[in-house]
Amino acid sequence: MNRDSRHLESILHHDIPLTRKMGLKVLDWHDQQLRLHLPLEANVNHKSTMFGGSLYCGAVLAGWGWLHLRLHEEGIKDGHIVIQEGQISYPLPVTMDATAICRAPSAAVWKKFLATYERYGRARLTLHSRIVNAGSDEDAVKFVGQYVLHR
């Protein structure tokens, strides 16, 4: 785990105590992709699959964490990130530990987001995250979130 990953995990565990109870871990931050680990045992439901609320939380946090780390790389530390809206689908059950993944938006979208924030002190960014069962690349969860950064 690199320094950015450790930094993000400590922020999540401190600022959002639920992430400790969920057993959430930051796996890695590489090539503008964030991967989080969600253990089944701490998030299991009555059907022995992962609880939908835990999956929603993991998907939101993948986007939130992605934006936090990317802003840190840009040297922007004066903003507050909030989730404004989210849409989720659960095409497959999560039957084991899972990985939540958030990738970068296009360079043009990112550049516009930064310019808007610098000019107005507030900007909105749509991020896509997904969750897969361990050892699979098939989407078990698909999430689209609208994140707002404001001063």
Side-chain angles (χ1 to χ4, degrees):
M1 184 185 323
N2 66 27
R3 188 178 40 153
D4 289 331
S5 298
R6 283 193 304 274
H7 167 75
L8 176 61
E9 190 172 297
S10 71
I11 286 173
L12 290 173
H13 287 181
H14 180 268
D15 293 354
I16 307 171
L18 174 65
T19 60
R20 285 194 310 266
K21 297 280 189 198
M22 291 174 64
L24 183 140
K25 300 284 184 205
V26 176
L27 289 174
D28 55 51
W29 169 247
H30 182 68
D31 289 338
Q32 295 185 6
Q33 176 180 277
L34 177 64
R35 294 185 330 127
L36 306 176
H37 174 78
L38 299 166
L40 178 61
E41 186 178 344
N43 298 286
V44 71
N45 66 18
H46 63 291
K47 298 282 190 183
S48 299
T49 61
M50 198 168 291
F51 173 59
S54 294
L55 292 166
Y56 186 88
C57 188
V60 168
L61 289 167
W64 189 97
W66 185 93
L67 185 51
H68 176 85
L69 289 171
R70 203 51 197 92
L71 290 168
H72 193 261
E73 287 181 349
E74 293 282 348
I76 297 172
K77 296 180 172 105
D78 64 344
H80 302 281
I81 304 165
V82 295
I83 180 81
Q84 182 181 50
E85 186 178 327
Q87 294 177 297
I88 195 163
S89 64
Y90 304 89
L92 293 172
V94 175
T95 56
M96 56 190 69
D97 288 2
T99 305
I101 304 159
C102 183
R103 290 195 172 115
S106 73
V109 166
W110 179 248
K111 188 175 178 182
K112 182 179 177 188
F113 169 78
L114 289 177
T116 301
Y117 181 68
E118 286 181 22
R119 183 169 183 182
Y120 300 106
R122 180 180 176 92
R124 184 173 319 152
L125 183 66
T126 299
L127 292 172
H128 297 259
S129 55
R130 62 194 196 99
I131 298 178
V132 298
N133 279 285
S136 173
D137 195 42
E138 205 172 353
D139 292 347
V141 173
K142 297 177 185 180
F143 178 80
V144 179
Q146 294 279 337
Y147 295 84
V148 174
L149 177 68
H150 64 89
R151 285 197 181 98

